[in-house]
Each structure stands twice: as structure tokens, then as C-alpha cells.
Amino acid sequence: MVIPQHVALILDGNGRWAKKRGLPRTMGHKEGCVTVEKTVEIAARMGIRYLTVYGFSTENWKRSSDEVGALMQLFRFYMVRLLKIASANNVRVKMIGDRTRFDRDIIEGINRLESETKDNMGLTFVIAVNYGGRDEIRRAAKRLAQDCAAGKVDADQIDEATFASYLDTADMPDPDLLIRTSGELRLSNYLLWQLAYTEIVVTDCLWPDFNKEELEKAIVQYNRRERRFGGVKG
């Protein structure tokens, strides 16, 4: 079985998982964080080189202040745990998205995670926080326009590779496989540039219930598909 080099995940269903059990939504998010931890370790052992998860979108700020506040507290707690997990599994941690909106201590925690794991040579675990695909493209276009205006880039020489070098994922390969949990059939503004030719697998499993078996089933589906350059069968 071919193991995809880069797997992207949309972690959906935390709220529904909690509702089914008569629990508050925050308990679903907490259990979802535990599943993230387990999935990082499983992916590292399987030989996946990049694992990217949608942790907190630009749209998530629209949720209730109580839920956003609880998510921020969870983020603070699990950043500390993640540093231990990364060290134990030789994992490099990278954050993508606009981190400037977070409180100073969270920004410092993100910077510490990246700095203290930068020399790890195993799985690269990428967390999209305050991330939106359109926002990423907007930010990239703005920086590219500024460099063009400054004479650093010739506008006539801009190609896809040039533009991609301004994205948050500039040093990473595009995902081979996207897995979305809870049965939803949409991209939700996630990695819009990078997913152009990615294979997509949707499972009805709610994210807190996701496990090694679910990941393996998705990779089996990935292996059954006939992939051609440019995403076109010929």
C-alpha cells in the first residue's frame, strides 16, 4: 500500500459528538484534541511525511464568545502537550494562518513550538490556525504586489511556482489526500490553492471517534484511485 506523502484533515463533528452524549460543545472540542494527539503519533509511525489539520478557521471567530474563549484555553493547554508529543516522536510543528490576531501568550507559544521542533526530522505536523484559504491567497497576493512595486519581482515572470512561494505552505508539497470527517461535502475555505489535484475522502465518522482504522480505510481508498498528472485520467 502506498502511503501518501501529505495528508490534510478537516476535523468536523466535535459539536455533534458532544450533543449525542448530552455534553457541552467544549467537551467535544476537548475530546477532539485528544484525537489529534493520537492521530499525530499514528501518522508518524505510518511514515506520512506531512499531516495538516484545520485547527481554527478565520470564520470560527463568529462563534459565541464563550465557545471561542474555551477554544483558546484548549489551545493554550494542548500547545504544551504537543511540545512533549513532538519531542517524543521526532515531529516538527508548523503553524499556518494569520497568528497576529491571537493573544500575545498564544503567539509566543506558537513561536516556541516551531522553534523547539524545527530540527526534528520526522513527520511535519501543520496546524492551520486563524486560517482561511481565501485569506491566505489575499495575503500572498499582497506580499507579491509589494515585492513587484519594490522591483524585487518582475510581474511578467510570475508563474504558479512564484505565487506558491508566497503562500503559507511555500516549503511543503501539496496534499495527496484530504480527509473530511462527519460526512460534510465541502472544502470550508481550506487550502484552496493546494487542494487543486488532491484526492478527497469523506467519512461519516465524527472527528473524536476517528482512529487508526479510519485513517487506514481512507488510505486504502486513495490507493484504489487512478491518479494522472493534472488530475485527469487519460
Side-chain angles (χ1 to χ4, degrees):
M1 184 169 67
V2 176
I3 301 298
Q5 180 180 207
H6 184 176
V7 175
L9 290 163
I10 297 178
L11 322 179
D12 203 6
N14 290 338
R16 273 166 282 177
W17 183 91
K19 185 177 180 180
K20 283 175 63 177
R21 290 160 176 77
L23 300 170
R25 286 177 62 87
T26 52
M27 290 302 296
H29 294 310
K30 185 174 181 180
E31 192 65 27
C33 287
V34 174
T35 303
V36 169
E37 292 179 17
K38 295 176 181 177
T39 304
V40 169
E41 294 177 323
I42 292 166
R45 289 195 294 268
M46 290 180 70
I48 293 169
R49 298 299 302 168
Y50 295 85
L51 182 72
T52 302
V53 303
Y54 209 179
F56 190 86
S57 75
T58 51
E59 288 78 22
N60 285 159
W61 295 106
K62 299 175 184 177
R63 296 184 180 185
S64 72
S65 58
D66 287 345
E67 186 173 359
V68 170
L71 286 169
M72 292 301 104
Q73 286 302 104
L74 268 178
F75 194 28
R76 289 180 172 95
F77 174 73
Y78 277 100
M79 278 196 296
V80 177
R81 288 184 57 84
L82 183 55
L83 186 57
K84 296 178 181 178
I85 293 168
S87 299
N89 292 277
N90 195 28
V91 168
R92 180 169 70 104
V93 180
K94 176 180 173 64
M95 301 281 182
I96 61 173
D98 181 7
R99 66 188 69 179
T100 61
R101 185 169 176 178
F102 293 116
D103 290 343
R104 172 52 53 186
D105 67 305
I106 291 180
I107 295 173
E108 290 173 352
I110 292 172
N111 293 341
R112 181 187 176 200
L113 264 174
E114 292 183 328
S115 175
E116 296 194 15
T117 65
K118 64 182 175 62
D119 295 325
N120 291 348
M121 302 299 290
L123 169 77
T124 296
F125 177 46
V126 185
I127 308 177
V129 288
N130 193 27
Y131 175 88
R134 288 181 175 180
D135 182 66
E136 178 190 25
I137 292 170
R138 178 194 62 79
R139 290 186 285 105
K142 181 179 179 180
R143 290 194 300 271
L144 179 54
Q146 290 170 338
D147 283 351
C148 286
K152 297 178 182 179
V153 177
D154 182 349
D156 291 331
Q157 300 301 314
I158 295 173
D159 56 14
E160 288 189 10
T162 302
F163 189 83
S165 71
Y166 282 79
L167 295 170
D168 296 348
T169 55
D171 60 345
M172 298 162 46
D174 290 341
D176 303 293
L177 171 64
L178 168 69
I179 304 170
R180 178 160 193 157
T181 57
S182 85
E184 300 294 343
L185 300 173
R186 58 180 180 272
L187 292 180
S188 296
N189 197 21
Y190 185 46
L191 298 174
L192 298 181
W193 176 280
Q194 299 87 344
L195 294 177
Y197 299 116
T198 299
E199 297 294 336
I200 300 174
V201 172
V202 176
T203 172
D204 289 330
C205 174
L206 302 178
W207 173 248
D209 293 325
F210 192 83
N211 54 25
K212 182 180 180 182
E213 181 183 0
E214 289 290 336
L215 179 57
E216 289 176 341
K217 285 195 297 186
I219 293 175
V220 167
Q221 286 194 53
Y222 167 81
N223 273 265
R224 287 175 179 164
R225 298 181 186 178
E226 185 179 2
R227 290 170 61 79
R228 300 285 191 221
F229 179 77
V232 178
K233 292 184 179 181

